[in-house]
């Protein structure tokens, strides 16, 4: 490796996460690990002895951002220790050391070894670990100490689906599920540390299963029994792993929030086949029918890719018509980005950037229209809001509705509390609400 010179062992650190929710979760756990080693967290990268860049490889832009960050950090402080973690570390390994001067490279399944790698780097030794020892990292991590009303909890990692555009099966490895008891223990620790809401994470979170034949719905029902936990969410799901038991949990488990993020990617069966998505337009829509039957007020979300190789104007129009049919409460949409080593990157019919830009714009117009319509349809509703942080105005707080909408309101309720509100007005990205005072504790009537 490039780091032949020894460096002073770092006393302060900063973790910067670039990717999905699981990447953020990994960042939190790396921070807890370094804190347990006696290092102090800083508020920014500039003031830290050690900067951990927790990277994402999903699209080209995300990957390139890492290299510009490394360049800037190096220029400002040549003595700073830089560790590249996350999915770029896994995908590029030694290549990062060739392209940029970094001290440590650690993959998403090996970050429990970060303290040792940092110590090696301080001695001027090679410090690269991109092994994938299935799940052992969780055993080696310190207990959770995160505080805050919302928490992420990884229950499943990796992906066996191999969509032809996607790097995740290569950067995260094969599908594996964490053991039931370990997850329940971590959930309890997070609730003890102040979490009121838990989002269960996995690349295919609804593929979670164990040797006793349990599925994600059993896990949700177990978390439902934890006193002090008020809300349960999960993400990201694959349409093919949406079991009836999981759908039933949306009907039966009050703590399970009425929100489902279920990526579809495209509305044309030919494109879905070329993507190796293993569901069709119709099978996707039928899953949503069953979900809506179980939980009529469910808010639906999805991911879309425009400009997959070979996508014709007529096929793109099928994505627009699918959107018209579903009416999402929110969604993420992306221009197709060819990723090295994936089958789609070398397919014929790569789409010109201008065409992708134009399609993305039309897609986002449709999605924005539906998001605003969903928010406007919520006005007048009463619901619970979990207060997450202070707003910009005096006395204003910001929280989330059950449907994952951001809600602003005036209240004295502290962060972490749940208040009853009436939703008053809606914009594209948030709503306003008025707190409904809780009824006075009744004095025994004479
Ligand atoms: N495991 C999750 C998330 C995968 S990444 C899932 O399967 O849904 C999140 C989203 O990024 C995907 O749903 C897809 O819409 C998008 N994505 C993945 N690879 C991409 C690529 N090469 N170009 C553009 N978007 C991509
Ligand atoms: Fe990627 Fe497809 Fe797996 Fe999702 S299901 S992580 S898009 S390969
Ligand atoms: Fe990115 Fe890796 Fe997540 S590629 S989206 S950080 S799984």
């Amino acid at each position: 490796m490039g780091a032949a010179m020894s460096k002073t062992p770092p006393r302060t650190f900063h973790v910067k996460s670039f990717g999905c929710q699981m990447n953020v979760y990994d960042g939190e756990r790396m921070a807890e690990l370094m804190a347990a080693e006696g290092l102090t967290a800083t508020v920014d990268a500039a003031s830290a002895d050690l900067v951990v860049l927790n990277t994402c490889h999903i699209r080209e832009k995300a990957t390139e951002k890492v290299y510009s960050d490394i360049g800037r950090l190096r220029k400002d402080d040549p003595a700073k220790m830089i560790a590249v973690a996350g999915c770029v570390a896994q995908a590029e390994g030694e290549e990062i050391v060739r392209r940029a001067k970094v001290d440590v490279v650690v993959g998403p399944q090996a970050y429990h070894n970060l303290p040792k790698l940092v110590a090696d780097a301080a001695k001027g030794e090679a410090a690269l670990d991109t092994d994938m020892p299935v799940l052992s990292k969780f055993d080696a991590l310190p207990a959770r100490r995160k505080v805050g009303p919302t928490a992420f909890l990884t229950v499943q990692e990796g992906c066996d689906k191999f969509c032809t555009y996607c790097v995740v099966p290569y950067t995260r490895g094969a599908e594996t599920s964490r053991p039931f008891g370990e997850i329940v223990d971590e959930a309890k620790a997070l609730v003890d540390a102040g979490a009121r809401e838990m989002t269960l994470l996995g690349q295919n979170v609804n593929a979670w299963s164990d040797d006793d034949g349990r599925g994600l719905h059993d896990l949700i029902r177990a978390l439902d029994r934890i006193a002090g936990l008020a809300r349960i969410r999960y993400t990201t799901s694959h349409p093919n792993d949406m079991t009836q038991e999981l759908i039933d949990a949306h009907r039966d488990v009050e703590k399970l929030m009425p929100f489902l993020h279920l990526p579809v990617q495209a509305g044309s069966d030919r494109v879905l086949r070329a993507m190796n998505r293993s569901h069709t337009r119709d099978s996707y829509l039928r899953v949503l029918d069953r979900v809506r039957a179980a939980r009529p007020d469910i808010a639906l979300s999805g991911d879309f890719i425009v400009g997959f190789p070979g996508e014709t104007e007529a096929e793109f129009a099928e994505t627009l018509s699918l959107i018209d049919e579903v009416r999402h409460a929110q969604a993420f949409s992306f221009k197709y980005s060819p990723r090295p080593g994936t089958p789609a990157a070398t397919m014929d019919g790569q789409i010109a950037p201008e065409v992708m830009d134009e399609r993305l714009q039309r897609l986002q117009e449709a999605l924005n229209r539906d998001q605003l319509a969903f928010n406007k349809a919520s006005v007048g509703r009463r619901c619970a809001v979990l207060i997450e942080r202070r707003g910009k105005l005096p006395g204003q707080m910001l929280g989330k509705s059950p449907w994952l909408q951001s809600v602003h309101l005036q209240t004295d309720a502290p962060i972490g509390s749940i208040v009853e509100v009436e939703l008053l007005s809606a914009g594209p990205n948030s709503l306003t609400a008025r707190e409904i005072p809780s009824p006075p504790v009744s004095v025994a009537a004479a």
Side-chain angles (χ1 to χ4, degrees):
M1 295 233 341
M5 245 167 36
S6 60
K7 289 189 176 179
T8 321
R11 280 191 302 226
T12 57
F13 74 95
H14 183 78
V15 180
K16 193 171 165 190
S17 292
F18 294 81
C20 59
Q21 284 126 321
M22 189 178 291
N23 175 265
V24 171
Y25 171 89
D26 292 340
E28 287 169 1
R29 304 235 50 187
M30 284 189 274
E32 288 168 346
L33 183 61
M34 296 321 279
E37 293 287 313
L39 280 76
T40 308
T42 65
V43 286
D44 58 18
S47 50
D49 300 338
L50 164 71
V51 176
V52 181
L53 299 174
N54 187 24
T55 61
C56 174
H57 196 53
I58 199 82
R59 285 167 289 272
E60 194 180 354
K61 253 201 198 134
T63 304
E64 285 311 311
K65 176 127 191 10
V66 180
Y67 286 103
S68 60
D69 261 43
I70 296 171
R72 202 169 35 245
L73 287 168
R74 265 288 161 262
K75 196 158 147 266
D76 292 349
D77 180 2
K80 197 184 285 295
M81 196 179 272
I82 300 176
V84 177
C87 289
V88 177
Q90 191 66 44
E92 303 206 337
E94 280 284 346
E95 178 65 24
I96 302 169
V97 185
R98 263 194 295 281
R99 266 187 76 178
K101 277 201 176 125
V102 300
D103 304 280
V104 173
V105 176
V106 62
Q109 307 303 355
Y111 63 75
H112 53 292
N113 293 328
L114 187 58
K116 183 190 173 297
L117 293 164
V118 168
D120 290 348
K123 286 185 270 176
E125 291 169 11
L128 180 134
D129 190 346
T130 51
D131 287 352
M132 288 198 169
V134 171
L135 296 181
S136 65
K137 75 172 174 222
F138 292 106
D139 299 332
L141 293 169
R144 299 308 310 267
R145 16 160 263 137
K146 185 193 184 285
V147 283
T150 62
F152 291 138
L153 171 47
T154 292
V155 305
Q156 180 279 339
E157 272 201 65
C159 182
D160 299 339
K161 305 279 192 289
F162 289 95
C163 301
T164 51
Y165 51 80
C166 185
V167 292
V168 171
Y170 312 97
T171 64
R172 291 276 170 174
E175 274 179 20
T176 42
S177 297
R178 288 180 73 188
F180 185 85
E182 198 181 289
I183 296 166
V184 174
D185 287 349
E186 189 173 328
K188 285 181 180 158
L190 284 164
V191 171
D192 288 344
R196 309 279 336 260
E197 175 179 291
M198 198 88 51
T199 303
L200 307 180
L201 299 180
Q203 269 87 35
N204 283 292
V205 70
N206 55 345
W208 184 90
S209 63
D210 70 4
D211 294 340
D212 298 327
R214 286 182 285 216
L216 187 65
H217 56 283
D218 295 303
L219 204 48
I220 288 167
R221 287 175 194 269
L223 298 194
D224 183 41
R225 289 191 289 273
I226 300 178
L229 182 63
R231 293 180 161 192
I232 303 168
R233 302 180 184 276
Y234 61 94
T235 199
T236 295
S237 298
H238 192 282
N240 281 13
D241 294 320
M242 249 2 255
T243 61
Q244 191 57 43
E245 290 99 323
L246 181 56
I247 293 173
D248 291 345
H250 277 282
R251 184 192 57 211
D252 303 335
V253 180
E254 212 183 314
K255 289 182 187 176
L256 183 58
M257 291 294 102
F259 185 93
L260 176 64
H261 180 68
L262 196 64
V264 60
Q265 317 297 355
S268 140
D269 281 340
R270 195 211 53 88
V271 173
L272 288 171
R273 255 195 322 276
M275 287 178 163
N276 193 32
R277 280 295 293 181
S278 68
H279 60 80
T280 62
R281 174 194 180 96
D282 190 62
S283 72
Y284 177 81
L285 291 170
R286 296 296 78 80
V287 170
L288 295 190
D289 288 345
R290 285 192 285 133
V291 173
R292 278 186 161 136
R295 183 77 207 218
D297 72 333
I298 195 124
L300 295 169
S301 166
D303 289 343
F304 294 89
I305 296 176
V306 300
F308 185 80
E311 183 188 69
T312 65
E313 176 57 31
E315 287 164 346
F316 172 66
E318 289 187 73
T319 302
L320 292 177
S321 76
L322 179 126
I323 288 170
D324 288 347
E325 234 176 285
V326 175
R327 304 271 171 199
H328 296 81
Q330 60 168 66
F332 299 95
S333 48
F334 313 99
K335 283 184 270 184
Y336 167 71
S337 172
R339 308 308 292 126
T342 59
T346 50
M347 281 179 186
D348 291 340
Q350 301 284 326
I351 305 290
E354 321 72 86
V355 177
M356 283 208 239
D357 283 336
E358 191 264 340
R359 286 183 190 165
L360 186 67
Q361 202 186 332
R362 281 154 69 201
L363 186 87
Q364 290 184 339
E365 268 166 29
L367 292 170
N368 291 344
R369 170 202 71 199
D370 291 348
Q371 185 168 323
L372 182 62
F374 182 85
N375 287 346
K376 283 203 183 298
S378 311
V379 172
R381 248 176 177 170
R382 290 186 169 208
C383 68
V385 166
L386 171 58
I387 306 292
E388 293 183 4
R389 56 191 169 91
R390 245 165 260 293
K392 286 204 184 90
L393 306 174
Q396 189 189 50
M397 299 298 266
L398 224 75
K400 291 270 162 53
S401 77
W403 308 282
L404 208 63
Q405 298 152 300
S406 290
V407 178
H408 301 260
L409 71 155
Q410 293 287 326
T411 178
D412 298 329
I415 290 170
S417 51
I418 293 177
V419 294
E420 276 298 310
V421 307
E422 181 190 346
L423 298 169
L424 294 180
S425 71
N429 298 311
S430 65
L431 291 102
T432 64
R434 149 186 101 79
E435 184 175 6
I436 300 169
S438 31
V441 181
S442 69
V443 182

